[in-house]
Amino acid sequence: MNQLNDISLVAQVVVFRNTKAFDQLVKKYQSPVRRFFLNLTCGDSELSDDLAQDTFIKAYTNIASFRNLSSFSTWLYRIAYNIFYDYIRSRKETADLDAREIDAVNSAEQENVGQKMDIYRSLKTLKEIERTCITLFYMEDLSIEKIAGITGIPTGTVKSHLSRGKEKLATYLKQNGYDKN
């Protein structure tokens, strides 16, 4: 039912250029896409907002290319994934993602600041692809098959990245006092 509604909205956008239908898709997926970027950028809320905006702009301009071979959400996350890695590649010349600091001003306004900063710090210990897989699986609750579709890597490789990422996170958190939590 949920995917059928997405397909109906996509059809309205493509056939009738119905921007209100696209607004409904944005409202539905805005928070999950922003959260996805927030985790990938280790808490940089301004960058997450910019990347999410770029994702929806690209989705709107390319919505006619949606072929319903996967769910709309998988298609949208694939765009988000590509936007993020395009950003990372463009930044490689000047700075590595792991060298950036967490946006402490924005984090201070959130609940459980210490725990969230520890989570973001632990995510920074992961390789970019491990962070992506962990974020999509544990924070976005996507299946391994959907993650494989989004990232373009085999399901076995996704499982390997999840396993290594989970092990690295557990080690980091244990070393920082989260032994029993």
Side-chain angles (χ1 to χ4, degrees), residues 22-87:
F22 190 75
D23 287 345
Q24 288 182 305
L25 289 168
V26 171
K27 285 178 184 158
K28 180 177 180 180
Y29 292 106
Q30 181 175 336
S31 291
V33 167
R34 186 179 180 280
R35 184 177 54 243
F36 172 65
F37 284 128
L38 200 58
N39 289 313
L40 289 180
T41 62
C42 301
D44 189 332
S45 60
E46 288 179 17
L47 178 58
S48 297
D49 290 343
D50 289 345
L51 295 172
Q53 182 177 7
D54 290 348
T55 298
F56 286 108
I57 290 169
K58 189 163 190 171
Y60 183 76
T61 59
N62 294 297
I63 200 158
S65 70
F66 176 67
R67 298 284 177 246
N68 199 24
L69 299 174
S70 62
S71 67
F72 178 78
S73 63
T74 300
W75 182 78
L76 185 64
Y77 275 111
R78 179 67 186 185
I79 291 172
Y81 172 82
N82 288 335
I83 293 280
F84 178 72
Y85 279 94
D86 286 347
Y87 169 78

Side-chain angles (χ1 to χ4, degrees), residues 1 15 39 43 45 94 128-131 141-142 150 172:
M1 177 68 185
V15 175
N39 289 313
S45 60
T94 57
E128 293 163 3
I129 190 64
E130 292 169 344
R131 187 179 317 128
D141 202 28
L142 295 180
I150 291 167
Y172 178 88

